């Protein structure tokens, strides 16, 4: 594995993935004078529009990966579902940041939860469902309501199912659940009744500097993030606990780059507790507000971290709200353009599909005096 | 001439010029989901790094211009010295904004000054020096100290000369001056003793909406902008007068896009007066602070205007300072990266040359309470 580099201002960053996150990473790199090369199997990748060097190839195409690695000074990614072999192949050639070990752990919900609990951080009760045979025992242990999730490749509510009710489940019922999730290893999680969903977006560089953005309160619709708000309406204690969790995770991973920890604020015997839902080893939708609401954005922090540059100390301009434009909601862009203080970000995606993330709006609200 | 379009979010903007201004325009367009195609004769143009479509060709290459025009939905430019024929050639194919008439007037210092004074706006005393034969009469009229400037293609102090002293000038002296400036039409301007140099960056769209950024105070070193500060330390009356001047010019030009008016604040018989130095029909270095100090940047305003979209209502985050990184000063970037509230912009220019604009830093200063 290559050590993290310290890039000069003429360096080129390789980004795996050509969606809106890759696009916004490339824009942040450009602000800092750095070049980007985007690799994605999709020739219509929105990120291609903002860089001069692109590779259209499958992530398992070793010839393309080799050329890509030769053209760049460091490799990063916009999504955590990069095949493990791709990360390993590339990391023999150039530094891959965050490192492939982080990917391996966070790609598997079970190893992720084991890792988090190993740090003494709370998560919802969970049980491994390695095979169909484990299902009944897991349900007995965790109870219902609970959520069964595939261990790999789930996002935005895909690859998961709620288990409700308390009528006994027949073998046929269990078979149905198992088949519905594709007959693959799963994890069963106790359903958590939370006071709010929140996240911490944090950055760490190889020198060990850690900078966390303020805790963000998140509101989902159909498992897709709809609105983020800062400051989160939580107690100073819960805020401090959330930040402490992010710092612990950053250090334990020797993390280089930006990540998000999705959290639940729960009440446990009259006491507030912060539980980790999951870790996203990348820039995160709930950090988009930082583009307009803070003096340095999550995208720039990620680029600084993987470039081996000092991280920014994020100062917040004021209370900020981020609204995702999903599907045809993007057609409202002109209304938001005319709203004072609103900042519109569109991703240049051609096709509007229901629920597709087409853009977002950041509202920096006037400060109360 | 094509009418100003109203672009859809999948449109492509053509930009003539591949320097840092074209680069930052393209980045602002990308934020709004728009694609850009950059045309520049220089294969090492920094703006090429942030767009997928580029044309390397001379601005007089009509075949290349034709292909370029066919690929884009609207044409704009990052510098005012586009050959007039280029603008005319393109405007027969696609809307060119700001329109070629604006270019024609502002490319010639004399017609620019005539235009401004025609609006009842003050400028320093000036005289036309069409030929060598006009020189003595002009100096007699305007006096010394005064500045002689070529009517065309001057920038950052190039193509100008101070005339000082009061010893009579011989014909040989006048010949020398004339030859030094390349024996081309000039304008002689009375030297103005100003209290401060300032500018207004303003945007206007085809619907007639005008939005001005706060007046900016500018500090030059060797004729190159070094520092801009907002708010400018001027009276509310001078501020209002400066804004009024920008609005008048915007309307008189039926301007579409962003421009800057460079101004002098002078004392005239105990009274403050605002004089126009020159107009830059494009985004301007003294508006770079808007990237971090306001809720919408000058680059985004320009893109909105030429796209036929509503302009943003710029709100300022706080007192802001912009510092240009000239030549080897760019090597200080790491120091600025570590400074809380400072935002570093590097242009991705390879070669460091003395006085070359390599980047800038915006400092959003904490507000006094």
């Amino acid at each position: 594995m290559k050590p993290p580099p310290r890039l000069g201002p003429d360096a080129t960053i390789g980004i795996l993935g050509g969606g809106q996150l890759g696009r916004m990473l490339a824009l942040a790199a450009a602000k800092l004078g750095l070049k980007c090369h985007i690799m994605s199997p999709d020739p219509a990748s929105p990120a291609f529009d903002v860089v001069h060097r692109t590779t259209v190839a499958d992530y398992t195409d070793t010839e393309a990966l080799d050329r890509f690695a030769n053209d760049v000074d460091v490799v990063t990614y916009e999504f955590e579902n990069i095949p493990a072999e791709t990360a390993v192949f590339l990391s023999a050639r150039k530094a891959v940041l965050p490192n492939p070990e982080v990917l391996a752990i966070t790609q598997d919900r079970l190893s992720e939860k084991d890792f988090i609990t190993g740090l003494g951080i709370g998560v919802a009760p969970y049980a491994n469902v390695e095979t169909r045979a484990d299902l009944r025992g897991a349900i007995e242990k965790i109870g219902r309501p609970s959520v069964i999730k595939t261990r790999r490749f789930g996002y935005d509510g895909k690859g998961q199912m709620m288990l409700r009710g308390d009528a006994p489940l027949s073998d046929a019922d269990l078979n149905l659940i198992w088949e519905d999730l594709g007959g693959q290893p799963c994890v069963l999680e106790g359903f958590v009744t939370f006071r709010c969903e929140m996240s911490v977006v944090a950055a760490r560089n190889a020198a060990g500097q850690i900078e966390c953005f303020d805790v963000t309160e998140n509101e989902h619709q159909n498992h897709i993030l709809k609105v983020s708000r800062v400051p989160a309406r939580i107690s100073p204690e819960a805020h401090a606990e959330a930040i402490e969790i992010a710092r612990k995770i950053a250090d334990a991973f020797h993390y280089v780059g930006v990540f998000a920890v999705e959290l639940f604020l729960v009440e446990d015997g009259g006491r507030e507790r912060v539980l980790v839902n999951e870790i996203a080893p990348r820039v995160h939708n709930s950090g988009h507000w930082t583009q307009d609401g803070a003096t340095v954005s999550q995208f720039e922090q990620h680029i600084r971290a993987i470039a081996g540059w000092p991280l920014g100390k994020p100062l917040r301009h004021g209370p900020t709200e981020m609204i995702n434009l999903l599907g045809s909601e993007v057609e409202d862009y002109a209304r938001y353009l005319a709203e004072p203080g609103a900042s519109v970000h569109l991703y240049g995606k051609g096709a509007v599909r229901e629920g597709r993330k087409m853009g977002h709006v950041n509202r920096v609200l006037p400060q109360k005096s």
Side-chain angles (χ1 to χ4, degrees), chain A:
Chain A
M1 220 161 71
K2 305 283 174 188
R6 186 183 159 92
L7 302 186
D10 57 343
T12 299
I13 291 171
I15 301 176
L16 297 171
Q20 68 269 19
L21 299 181
R23 180 177 170 109
M24 291 186 278
L25 282 170
L27 293 175
K31 171 185 181 280
L32 297 173
L34 297 162
K35 296 167 185 59
C36 287
H37 181 153
I38 305 255
M39 177 166 177
S40 160
D42 178 5
S45 292
F48 284 174
D49 292 336
V50 302
V51 297
H52 198 55
R53 283 132 90 183
T54 61
T55 295
V56 181
D58 201 87
Y59 298 123
T60 55
D61 178 341
T62 51
E63 234 175 273
L65 286 172
D66 198 51
R67 277 197 308 273
F68 174 73
N70 277 330
D71 187 53
V72 304
D73 298 295
V74 65
V75 175
T76 190
Y77 40 87
E78 62 147 17
F79 70 119
E80 59 274 44
N81 290 333
I82 303 289
E85 318 80 68
T86 304
V88 169
F89 182 92
L90 287 170
S91 66
R93 286 154 180 82
K94 290 286 157 68
V96 174
L97 297 170
N99 70 61
E101 217 175 305
V102 170
L103 267 184
I105 292 172
T106 57
Q107 278 179 354
D108 182 331
R109 285 184 198 279
L110 182 70
S111 62
E112 183 177 280
K113 283 174 196 297
D114 289 347
F115 174 82
I116 296 164
T117 52
L119 297 175
I121 300 168
V123 300
Y126 65 100
N128 183 17
V129 186
E130 189 78 36
T131 66
R132 161 70 183 82
D134 299 329
L135 193 49
R136 186 172 299 277
I139 296 171
E140 273 162 17
K141 178 179 162 204
I142 303 299
R144 281 179 286 171
S146 52
V147 192
I148 184 159
K149 300 178 176 176
T150 60
R151 277 170 47 183
R152 295 175 164 274
F153 305 125
Y155 68 99
D156 286 351
K158 290 178 177 77
Q160 55 177 274
M161 191 187 298
M162 270 289 279
L163 305 184
R164 296 178 200 271
D166 47 17
L169 292 163
S170 66
D171 277 346
D173 291 336
L174 296 186
N175 284 341
L176 248 151
I177 292 167
W178 185 247
E179 278 155 30
D180 236 48
L181 289 164
Q184 56 185 307
C186 288
V187 67
L188 185 70
E189 297 174 20
F191 183 76
V192 168
T193 311
F194 49 79
R195 279 238 329 263
C196 85
E197 285 185 278
M198 53 195 198
S199 57
V200 175
V201 174
R204 184 182 179 278
N205 65 13
Q209 188 189 355
I210 297 177
E211 295 293 345
C212 299
F213 291 101
D214 288 347
V215 178
T216 304
E217 196 178 328
N218 301 315
E219 206 179 293
H220 292 81
Q221 276 174 18
N222 305 319
H223 298 281
I224 299 174
L225 182 66
K226 183 57 197 164
V227 183
S228 290
R229 288 187 189 90
V230 269
R233 291 160 298 177
I234 57 175
S235 68
E237 293 73 29
H239 196 283
E241 192 180 342
I243 298 288
E244 188 48 35
I245 286 172
R247 298 186 71 94
K248 250 189 208 168
I249 291 170
D251 276 333
F253 272 135
H254 302 287
Y255 201 90
V256 178
V258 160
F259 66 98
V261 205
E262 296 182 34
L263 302 160
F264 296 129
L265 183 68
V266 298
E267 277 203 14
D268 191 4
R271 208 177 68 83
E272 275 187 342
R273 275 190 74 202
V274 178
L275 301 182
V276 171
N277 178 21
E278 61 181 55
I279 300 169
R282 53 168 170 81
V283 288
H284 192 259
N285 199 161
S286 70
H288 288 3
W289 66 267
T290 61
Q291 293 173 309
D292 299 287
T295 51
V296 62
S297 77
Q298 65 164 346
F299 301 100
E300 179 167 339
Q301 289 288 63
H302 185 75
I303 297 295
R304 288 175 180 227
I306 65 171
W309 291 5
L311 299 179
K313 211 159 197 63
L315 309 176
R316 196 153 49 72
H317 290 312
T320 304
E321 184 174 274
M322 188 283 312
I323 303 155
N324 268 341
L325 301 177
L326 303 174
S328 58
E329 289 169 2
V330 72
E331 287 152 22
D332 287 344
Y333 73 93
R335 179 165 67 80
Y336 287 112
L337 284 172
E339 183 187 308
S343 178
V344 176
H345 298 255
L346 302 176
Y347 306 150
K349 292 182 180 177
V352 174
R353 284 195 303 268
E354 206 196 315
R356 191 178 196 201
K357 292 177 177 171
M358 303 298 292
H360 66 274
V361 177
N362 289 327
R363 278 186 174 136
V364 182
L365 306 172
Q367 280 195 278
K368 288 177 198 137
S369 56

